[in-house]
Amino acid sequence: MKLNDHILIWNHAFIQVIDVRHSAMEHGEALRAYRLPVSAFLYTIRGSAEVWLDGNAYVAKQSFIFHGGKGMNLTILAIDELEYYMILYKPTLTLPNREEFVNRIGQDNPFQYQYAFAPSYPLALFDKLTRLEKEWNQTTALGKLHVKSIFYQFVYELLRQLNHHDVKPIRPDLASLATHYIHEHYSEMITLESIAQALDCSEGHLSRQFRNTMQNSPIHYLSQVRMNQAIQLLMRTEATLQEVAEQVGFPDAHSLSRSFKKYIGISPARFRKKHAHDWRDQELPLSMNRIAVLLNNNHLYNDNENHFQYKTGRELLMQRRTKIAIMALVMCVSLLVSACGSTANTNVNLEVQANKTAGTNAEQTNQQAAATVKTRIVSTQKGDVEIPAEPKRVASDQYLGYLVKLGIVPIGVRSYMLNEAWISKSGISNDLIAGIEDLGDFPMNLEKLTYLEPDLIIGSIEENIELYEKIGTTVFLPYWEGESTAGPLDKFRRISELFGKEQAAEQWIAEYEQKVDEAKNKISGIIKEGETVSIVQIGWDGLYVLAAEGGNYGSSTIYQMLQLPPTEHALNMKNGFEKISLEVLPEYMGDHVFLYGAEDEGAEKILDSNVWKGVPAVKKGQVYNYGSSGEKEDEFVMEDPYSLELQLDKIVKVLLAEEK
């Protein structure tokens, strides 16, 4: 890109300064594989170091400036005692109507360029940096405004010297950045959209560049990485399928099994039985066959500038001390609880002690506690738990929609929750969702949890509860019970009881049930008296029929809410679903069939079969396609209040459309 184009884009972009850091490194100290969360300037002012930006090596002596884009990998090895500034900034294009401008920024983004040089006039840049640091440390709004002014002065001086040196920036290798990102985040619920957002590019541009370089699509490459990791775990550990699924980025064992059979050709259980000991015969050294469960997939940074990592301000401190700090924290809490002689839950002993000592005049106990912490007892499947009467800092690995509907915005949730389908259709502001910390997959990231200091943690998987209890007061609230799920309204009531918001929950339930009654009137007569309804899900590995109770994918809306009559098979299922073969499909089919996944991969084979075409409901045109389990999940995956409202509207629309 020409310098004039570079300057033009700087002039028309909104810049948000994320952090200003002034750090020092001792001789021999290293900052390794630090993934830039946003675009960044690094300016060394004293000492010398070897610096690598995405594999490109530089030697910095005294004054040297680097620029790297979001997602690039930074490594610093201090040769002498090193002092440097790092400025993290986030650019946003402000001209959505200038299509040619958008295309230019999408395909040739100067904020993603890599360049490095020794400035001819280092003091001019140093002056801007010292002023920038001073204003950044001010807490006033006026000081923050001044930060932007000084930052632009810094950029002006830098571009002026960049032009003087005739430096040729290096365009980022987008495919390489994407593969690094996939290998670091494969255990999370990532999509093509999230990868593109992480790398500040469009989905189309990313796909084209990735295919040109890798002869593969990003999502197919992600699936291959996950399958390779799953193979290692199946061969070399005794982890359950659920544990393997959670470790490699699948929500459950069922999803893993479907994908595994698609890519490998056999089920995970059969693969393990056949290859459990093959790894001992492999010629590759262990270092080249790393097991995912042993890897530390915790990342220092992510996309959200409001996240806790930006508030620490010292990436070196995080790398050197986080593991030690969390171990020390857990040990200190355990020792303190033991010293108090309490046998109650370790997560609430400090609060109970505060209640005991605060029963006298508050003025006499100021030196012991700032205020009395009120608590109450709630009953769970793991027994009674004492929790704060009014939790203010809630973290949860499930139930985001339930919490938000009750007016509770959690401080952190599991990654998958932040991408639920109801969010974009709910009218809730993006800022609200952006302020919620991404805590990774099951179990939630313990380091982030510790830093966030939640006063209540909600866990939905029993085996993770002990881990959470070491950090804070924890309540076990299972989402799935075996292969069935409790009724969505019952779940909502359970959540409301934790927060004393039963009245708010019942008010919404009453309003929702009124909508259900209105929906019943609209569809009255479509399902005739004596007719039955089936719900069929098409998966890549076969057919699933959903049960009358305990199912998912909208079955509660169809059967419990709208009270459409199920077949005998659906009534007698012990679990929430049953997998069947195509040959026995007619036995499970009712007079009307709701079909989930009709447009998904592999559906054509079933829908074009003579068995399917011979089903009476199909012949009569009484099949209702209502959802998809494709890459972007829909409103039938979850059962929170927002999803239930969307499901109700969708089912009514589908039925009425078919009736016409």
Side-chain angles (χ1 to χ4, degrees):
M1 176 178 286
K2 297 179 180 179
L3 182 62
N4 287 339
D5 291 338
H6 193 145
I7 295 171
L8 179 65
I9 293 177
W10 270 100
N11 279 329
H12 290 91
F14 170 77
I15 303 296
Q16 182 180 4
V17 179
I18 300 300
D19 203 359
V20 177
R21 304 175 184 172
H22 183 190
S23 302
M25 297 173 65
E26 299 174 358
H27 165 70
E29 189 174 359
L31 169 65
R32 299 186 186 279
Y34 169 53
R35 187 73 59 189
L36 294 179
V38 287
S39 299
F41 289 107
L42 174 72
Y43 188 35
T44 61
I45 60 174
R46 181 171 59 87
S48 60
E50 295 180 6
V51 178
W52 289 265
L53 262 176
D54 266 6
N56 295 313
Y58 305 90
V59 177
K61 295 182 179 180
Q62 296 183 352
S63 298
F64 212 91
I65 192 157
F66 302 85
H67 181 270
K70 180 179 180 181
M72 289 187 179
N73 195 308
L74 171 66
T75 293
I76 305 174
L77 176 62
I79 300 174
D80 302 318
E81 185 176 353
L82 181 72
E83 184 178 357
Y84 66 88
Y85 283 92
M86 183 182 291
I87 307 172
L88 300 175
Y89 72 94
K90 181 178 180 180
T92 304
L93 193 64
T94 58
L95 291 175
N97 295 324
R98 294 273 299 279
E99 184 174 351
E100 75 283 0
F101 211 83
V102 172
N103 291 336
R104 184 184 300 173
I105 193 77
Q107 299 180 16
D108 207 2
N109 188 343
F111 304 115
Q112 287 293 112
Y113 276 178
Q114 175 190 148
Y115 49 84
F117 67 97
S120 300
Y121 308 98
L123 292 183
L125 291 170
F126 178 72
D127 173 66
K128 307 296 187 299
L129 287 173
T130 55
R131 290 166 55 201
L132 191 63
E133 179 190 23
K134 179 180 178 181
E135 292 299 331
W136 179 256
N137 292 326
Q138 299 296 320
T139 58
T140 64
L142 188 61
K144 297 303 180 186
L145 180 62
H146 199 189
V147 164
K148 292 185 179 181
S149 172
I150 299 173
F151 179 74
Y152 277 110
Q153 294 177 42
F154 171 81
V155 170
Y156 165 78
E157 180 62 30
L158 181 137
L159 292 178
R160 189 181 69 83
Q161 297 199 38
L162 186 68
N163 184 44
H164 174 76
H165 284 270
D166 195 25
V167 174
K168 303 298 182 184
I170 301 173
R171 293 186 181 184
D173 182 349
L174 202 55
S176 176
L177 292 176
T179 55
H180 282 306
Y181 184 88
I182 288 170
H183 279 278
E184 291 181 354
H185 296 269
Y186 69 86
S187 62
E188 304 169 15
M189 301 301 294
I190 60 176
T191 63
L192 178 63
E193 181 181 9
S194 66
I195 299 172
Q197 288 178 348
L199 302 179
D200 266 356
C201 64
S202 68
E203 296 175 41
H205 184 54
L206 171 61
S207 292
R208 288 190 296 273
Q209 293 295 317
F210 199 94
R211 284 184 180 276
N212 290 340
T213 304
M214 306 293 293
Q215 287 75 53
N216 202 348
S217 72
I219 295 305
H220 191 267
Y221 183 84
L222 168 63
S223 298
Q224 291 175 328
V225 170
R226 285 174 169 168
M227 289 304 104
N228 288 337
Q229 295 298 328
I231 285 171
Q232 291 296 315
L233 290 173
L234 291 169
M235 291 174 59
R236 307 183 67 173
T237 77
E238 296 181 358
T240 65
L241 287 186
Q242 180 66 31
E243 292 171 335
V244 174
E246 294 166 3
Q247 188 65 36
V248 301
F250 290 92
D252 50 49
H254 178 65
S255 300
L256 169 65
S257 296
R258 289 192 298 176
S259 292
F260 195 91
K261 192 172 181 180
K262 176 180 178 181
Y263 283 93
I264 309 303
I266 60 175
S267 69
R270 288 185 60 192
F271 180 88
R272 168 175 273 170
K273 186 176 181 179
K274 185 177 181 180
H275 299 284
H277 302 292
D278 288 1
W279 67 273
R280 293 193 177 97
D281 301 326
Q282 291 182 2
E283 296 180 358
L284 292 176
L286 183 63
S287 62
M288 295 181 67
N289 289 285
R290 297 183 300 168
I291 301 176
V293 75
L294 301 179
L295 295 179
N296 179 5
N297 290 319
N298 301 327
H299 309 295
L300 293 177
Y301 290 88
N302 55 34
D303 295 342
N304 188 343
E305 61 268 21
N306 295 321
H307 290 178
F308 82 91
Q309 298 98 325
Y310 295 143
K311 299 175 184 177
T312 65
R314 294 295 178 267
E315 65 281 354
L316 284 173
L317 184 63
M318 286 289 291
Q319 283 198 347
R320 287 182 293 181
R321 301 179 181 175
T322 300
K323 291 183 179 179
I324 298 174
I326 190 170
M327 293 174 61
L329 174 64
V330 172
M331 292 179 63
C332 289
V333 170
S334 301
L335 291 171
L336 181 57
V337 169
S338 300
C340 293
S342 171
T343 60
N345 188 307
T346 59
N347 303 300
V348 299
N349 279 340
L350 298 181
E351 296 173 355
V352 174
Q353 184 65 22
N355 287 332
K356 291 179 179 179
T357 59
T360 59
N361 190 305
E363 293 181 358
Q364 297 176 344
T365 59
N366 273 344
Q367 70 277 19
Q368 299 176 18
T372 302
V373 178
K374 295 181 180 180
T375 62
R376 56 191 179 87
I377 303 296
V378 296
S379 296
T380 74
Q381 290 190 14
K382 293 179 72 68
D384 291 345
V385 179
E386 187 169 9
I387 68 172
E390 297 181 359
K392 302 296 184 185
R393 300 180 60 78
V394 180
S396 181
D397 67 7
Q398 195 67 273
Y399 306 111
L400 175 60
Y402 301 83
L403 294 170
V404 175
K405 180 60 76 172
L406 291 171
I408 300 162
V409 180
I411 57 174
V413 296
R414 186 166 56 93
S415 300
Y416 188 83
M417 301 294 99
L418 296 173
N419 296 307
E420 290 179 6
W422 63 265
I423 294 176
S424 62
K425 305 175 183 179
S426 65
I428 293 174
S429 71
N430 293 333
D431 290 341
L432 183 146
I433 300 299
I436 301 174
E437 180 64 49
D438 183 339
L439 295 177
D441 210 338
F442 295 114
M444 292 184 291
N445 188 306
L446 301 183
E447 292 184 8
K448 290 186 180 181
L449 269 179
T450 302
Y451 185 91
L452 290 175
E453 298 180 353
D455 55 9
L456 179 64
I457 303 171
I458 302 174
S460 62
I461 296 182
E462 186 172 9
E463 64 191 39
N464 297 331
I465 299 302
E466 289 188 8
L467 297 173
Y468 300 155
E469 286 177 339
K470 294 177 181 179
I471 296 172
T473 304
T474 301
V475 171
F476 173 49
L477 193 61
Y479 190 87
W480 285 86
E481 298 171 1
E483 292 185 331
S484 298
T485 176
L489 299 185
D490 290 336
K491 289 178 186 173
F492 192 38
R493 288 186 171 107
R494 292 179 190 175
I495 290 290
S496 69
E497 290 169 1
L498 290 180
F499 300 91
K501 291 183 174 288
E502 294 92 337
Q503 184 175 351
E506 293 302 328
Q507 180 179 344
W508 178 84
I509 290 173
E511 294 172 354
Y512 174 69
E513 289 178 339
Q514 183 177 348
K515 294 179 182 178
V516 171
D517 290 337
E518 294 171 357
K520 289 179 182 177
N521 291 331
K522 291 180 181 178
I523 64 174
S524 177
I526 297 177
I527 311 296
K528 305 294 190 299
E529 185 175 354
E531 292 183 331
T532 58
V533 167
S534 294
I535 307 175
V536 176
Q537 178 192 5
I538 296 181
W540 68 267
D541 61 343
L543 287 167
Y544 294 85
V545 180
L546 303 186
E549 292 186 4
N552 202 351
Y553 295 103
S555 62
S556 61
T557 297
I558 294 170
Y559 286 140
Q560 277 82 55
M561 309 306 174
L562 292 173
Q563 296 181 337
L564 301 181
T567 64
E568 285 296 321
H569 277 292
L571 281 170
N572 295 328
M573 286 182 191
K574 295 181 180 180
N575 297 317
F577 62 89
E578 188 171 317
K579 184 179 179 182
I580 65 171
S581 64
L582 181 62
E583 290 72 23
V584 301
L585 175 66
E587 300 175 18
Y588 288 80
M589 299 290 265
D591 300 293
H592 298 259
V593 177
F594 285 90
L595 181 59
Y596 188 89
E599 298 179 358
D600 292 344
E601 185 177 354
E604 300 88 352
K605 182 178 180 181
I606 293 172
L607 300 181
D608 290 340
S609 69
N610 291 329
V611 175
W612 176 265
K613 292 178 179 178
V615 171
V618 177
K619 291 181 177 180
K620 295 177 182 179
Q622 295 177 171
V623 176
Y624 314 107
N625 300 338
Y626 73 99
S628 171
S629 57
E631 183 181 329
K632 292 188 176 180
E633 304 286 11
D634 60 26
E635 61 267 34
F636 292 94
V637 176
M638 307 306 299
E639 295 182 322
D640 57 86
Y642 294 98
S643 295
L644 290 181
E645 291 171 340
L646 293 168
Q647 290 176 22
L648 186 63
D649 291 341
K650 182 66 174 291
I651 294 299
V652 170
K653 289 178 181 177
V654 168
L655 282 171
L656 293 178
E658 292 296 329
E659 180 67 9
K660 293 177 182 179

